[in-house]
Amino acid sequence: MNWTAYIRQKMGVLFSMDTWLPTELPEYAMGLMYTLGSLTASSFVILVLSGIIMAANGPQWWTISSIGFYLRGIHFWAVQAFFFFMILHLLRVFFSGAWRGGRERTWMLGTLALLVAIPTAFTGYLMRGDFYSQWNAVQSKDGLNALGFAWLNPLNAGQMYGLHVVVMPIILGTIIAIHIAFIRIKGVVPPYPSHEELEEILNKEVP
Amino acid sequence: MRHYHPRVDVTHRYRYVPADFVKHLMGTTLVVAVLTAVLSGVFHEPVRPALKINTYATTHPKEFLTVALGDLNGTGTIANYGPPYNHGTGSVQDFVQKWIGVIHPVYPREDFVLKPLGYAAHLNPGLAPALKQFTHASSAQQRRWEKAFGGSLKQARVQGSQVLLPSGAYGPVGTMMQGLLELGQSGLMAGALNRSPADYQFDNQNALLFLQGSPLHNAAKKLELEGNQWGIIHEERAPYPGPWWMTIVTAIYQIPFIANASAADALALGSGMVIFLVLMLAPWIPGINRLPRLLGVHRVIWRKFYATHQPDPVDISHSS
């Protein structure tokens, strides 16, 4: 297969309705435990939507206008929801051994999303413009400076604003999108197989 | 050892049931939208008003002058900080910090005191002669004035927002510092501090660095926001939730060996990164990658499935 055909085939799978909006799911992937990832993704959607409205109105709107302040409250509780559901989702997939069956990349991207979400949220805390922003800015600078990340200047509100509303959400959103694509393409990890099933399959392979 | 089998841990071995994923996603988004809209309506977001220089200079005039004197005589934290602000050594934690160099130059003597006083002198002509006398004096003479001012400041009395200094051989420094206090109380000091080479201002660096020592630390201590008070994850107004997702790194800061180290931040954040790598690389770490089966929580997750299909689940890595 030449490379253009290869890409066409892969893209066909990646952008198909069956990948993103399936009409059937494995019977074991049902119930509340299997809504935690979606609830995390939905929290991200609410964060992006409330964030776009706030960004469109400028960085002081959410402090001085009552509608802006309400939007900022939604953004605040959405980030709490995002991490809450993300951690529950993380626990569910960990206890399922969800990296089995060649799903290691999916797991890695999920943990990477958690790692990237932390500075994404942190730069948001710096945008509140209150004591919490001031204190976090001066406290975090020492760690960043010590680790050689001094070009990331938490005291520079303009730089932090750009990181929070453009750079970090794009990175995080991309990681989440690839993570979801892997889940959909590979399928949700099945339960641990029984002894009988295992014997049957392994015996077939090694007579 | 094999951790999975290409023909075991695959979805197509299982029965599929009809599911409306569009409805599922709409449902979860609606749940979060309603939840956050209600929580914001009822609780809003907590706000703790920012510490402003003019408020601090008015309520803590003596402390304000102590901070400013540290900036002038070079004993302040930022004056001694080191890279990326200047060539000091006081806050250099490791070689990487040194290697990055001075990329956000801040020299508190000039940037926090002499330059703002220069702007203030346009509005308060009485300041200009004192400033001229100070800048034209020898550095030894400047040191003597600064030292004398420091001695007098310790014995100064505070009356309202005024600092009444006993007389001393501090030459022009007394006038300068009183001028700086007035500038601080006027509300113009943050503007005088935050001056970047660009015309537009998006950068609060110098105003925050001016406040970063005792002004912000004392305020934070009262709110239990300091690092050794688990401050990273505290919301400033209980019972609101804080950024609890940083609990692990906050816990690392409480370990005495790390908290008392001169490179505390580098050690704490470095250790946090190691813990993260263990989590990220769990599928490949022997022991951890089998933990889920041993812990048996999966029996709860797939309770219904196991009950009807397979009473005795095992881990493929165990048998192959």
Side-chain angles (χ1 to χ4, degrees):
Chain A
M1 192 193 301
N2 67 32
W3 66 275
T4 52
Y6 175 81
I7 288 176
R8 279 178 61 83
Q9 189 207 31
K10 288 285 175 193
M11 291 293 125
V13 174
L14 180 61
F15 295 110
S16 75
M17 277 297 145
D18 281 342
T19 297
W20 291 96
L21 299 170
T23 51
E24 52 179 20
L25 291 169
E27 59 178 326
Y28 56 81
M30 292 288 159
L32 203 61
M33 293 273 197
Y34 284 89
T35 60
L36 297 170
S38 302
L39 283 165
T40 312
S42 293
S43 304
F44 187 71
V45 169
I46 300 298
L47 280 168
V48 170
L49 292 178
S50 55
I52 286 172
I53 300 171
M54 286 200 287
N57 285 281
Q60 279 164 335
W61 181 69
W62 57 75
T63 304
I64 56 177
S65 105
S66 55
I67 304 172
F69 191 69
Y70 177 68
L71 250 295
R72 163 185 164 156
I74 291 181
H75 204 68
F76 170 80
W77 288 106
V79 77
Q80 292 287 339
F82 177 78
F83 279 101
F84 178 74
F85 293 129
M86 191 191 228
I87 296 298
L88 290 181
H89 170 68
L90 172 81
L91 291 173
R92 204 279 293 156
V93 294
F94 176 80
F95 288 126
S96 311
W99 46 78
R100 289 175 292 133
R103 294 173 178 83
E104 294 91 344
R105 285 177 306 179
T106 317
W107 168 268
M108 276 181 75
L109 282 164
T111 55
L112 195 62
L114 171 62
L115 181 75
V116 173
I118 290 173
T120 309
F122 189 81
T123 48
Y125 272 78
L126 298 179
M127 289 299 103
R128 292 167 44 152
D130 63 357
F131 182 77
Y132 208 88
S133 296
Q134 292 179 304
W135 178 241
N136 279 290
V138 300
Q139 285 295 88
S140 60
K141 74 179 190 316
D142 301 327
L144 288 167
N145 294 341
L147 294 175
F149 293 115
W151 62 275
L152 290 168
N153 183 1
L155 309 169
N156 182 340
Q159 186 187 15
M160 291 301 113
Y161 181 78
L163 284 170
H164 182 68
V165 305
V166 179
V167 182
M168 299 307 294
I170 287 178
I171 296 172
L172 181 58
T174 307
I175 294 169
I176 293 173
I178 302 172
H179 174 71
I180 296 172
F182 274 147
I183 298 168
R184 295 297 321 137
I185 291 168
K186 273 279 178 190
V188 181
V189 75
Y192 284 97
S194 67
H195 270 299
E196 292 73 24
E197 278 180 291
L198 214 56
E199 290 295 319
E200 190 189 323
I201 291 160
L202 293 175
N203 287 343
K204 265 186 199 169
E205 191 193 41
V206 190
Chain B
M1 185 175 64
R2 192 182 278 158
H3 302 307
Y4 69 91
H5 193 287
R7 281 157 57 199
V8 176
D9 296 322
V10 287
T11 49
H12 59 73
R13 292 184 56 249
Y14 298 83
R15 197 164 65 87
Y16 272 63
V17 292
D20 190 339
F21 212 63
V22 177
K23 207 190 255 178
H24 168 80
L25 290 179
M26 290 294 173
T28 54
T29 308
L30 191 68
V31 165
V32 179
V34 171
L35 186 71
T36 54
V38 170
L39 284 169
S40 177
V42 178
F43 299 109
H44 309 290
E45 179 183 7
V47 174
R48 169 72 58 180
L51 183 66
K52 290 180 179 173
I53 293 179
N54 58 336
T55 314
Y56 188 75
T58 307
T59 56
H60 299 79
K62 194 170 167 179
E63 290 84 348
F64 175 92
L65 287 180
T66 309
V67 170
L69 182 65
D71 293 327
L72 182 67
N73 66 17
T75 57
T77 322
I78 297 303
N80 264 314
Y81 192 96
Y85 306 126
N86 47 50
H87 297 288
T89 52
S91 299
V92 178
Q93 297 194 19
D94 50 44
F95 71 94
V96 191
Q97 186 174 350
K98 229 170 164 178
W99 179 73
I100 293 292
V102 180
I103 57 173
H104 307 302
V106 182
Y107 298 96
R109 185 181 174 82
E110 284 75 28
D111 294 331
F112 294 0
V113 182
L114 297 178
K115 280 184 193 167
L117 278 175
Y119 306 130
H122 289 282
L123 299 172
N124 178 2
L127 275 174
L131 203 54
K132 195 175 172 189
Q133 189 189 353
F134 182 81
T135 49
H136 284 77
S138 67
S139 55
Q141 177 63 63
Q142 289 176 345
R143 295 274 168 245
R144 281 197 293 275
W145 286 332
E146 289 160 7
K147 202 175 168 194
F149 182 83
S152 296
L153 186 59
K154 277 183 192 146
Q155 292 152 22
R157 281 193 306 117
V158 176
Q159 197 170 69
S161 60
Q162 304 296 312
V163 177
L164 306 175
L165 280 164
S167 56
Y170 40 72
V173 174
T175 311
M176 285 164 55
M177 287 288 124
Q178 292 289 6
L180 198 73
L181 182 61
E182 279 172 34
L183 178 68
Q185 292 173 345
S186 73
L188 295 171
M189 185 137 170
L193 287 168
N194 291 329
R195 301 191 70 86
S196 81
D199 290 334
Y200 271 40
Q201 298 299 321
F202 296 103
D203 188 347
N204 301 320
Q205 175 181 277
N206 286 6
L208 285 171
L209 288 183
F210 178 80
L211 288 172
Q212 80 103 41
S214 53
L216 285 175
H217 273 81
N218 290 342
K221 201 171 194 165
K222 282 186 202 154
L223 303 168
E224 298 192 338
L225 285 176
E226 289 204 308
N228 57 9
Q229 298 170 308
W230 293 76
I232 302 171
I233 55 168
H234 282 184
E235 186 50 79
E236 73 277 37
R237 261 174 65 193
Y240 281 90
W244 50 269
W245 41 91
M246 293 194 278
T247 300
I248 291 176
V249 80
T250 312
I252 296 171
Y253 269 103
Q254 312 308 312
I255 301 168
F257 160 72
I258 287 176
N260 300 326
S262 59
D265 296 299
L267 279 171
L269 296 174
S271 315
M273 192 49 79
V274 170
I275 293 175
F276 169 75
L277 284 176
V278 170
L279 182 75
M280 190 182 194
L281 302 176
W284 293 278
I285 300 174
I288 293 181
N289 58 9
R290 282 168 166 220
L291 208 56
R293 188 191 65 84
L294 296 172
L295 291 173
V297 181
H298 65 94
R299 289 174 201 280
V300 180
I301 296 170
W302 289 306
R303 187 165 37 91
K304 276 187 190 162
F305 181 83
Y306 288 147
T308 51
H309 292 77
Q310 46 190 55
D312 187 22
V314 293
D315 186 356
I316 184 79
S317 56
H318 197 59
S319 313
S320 55

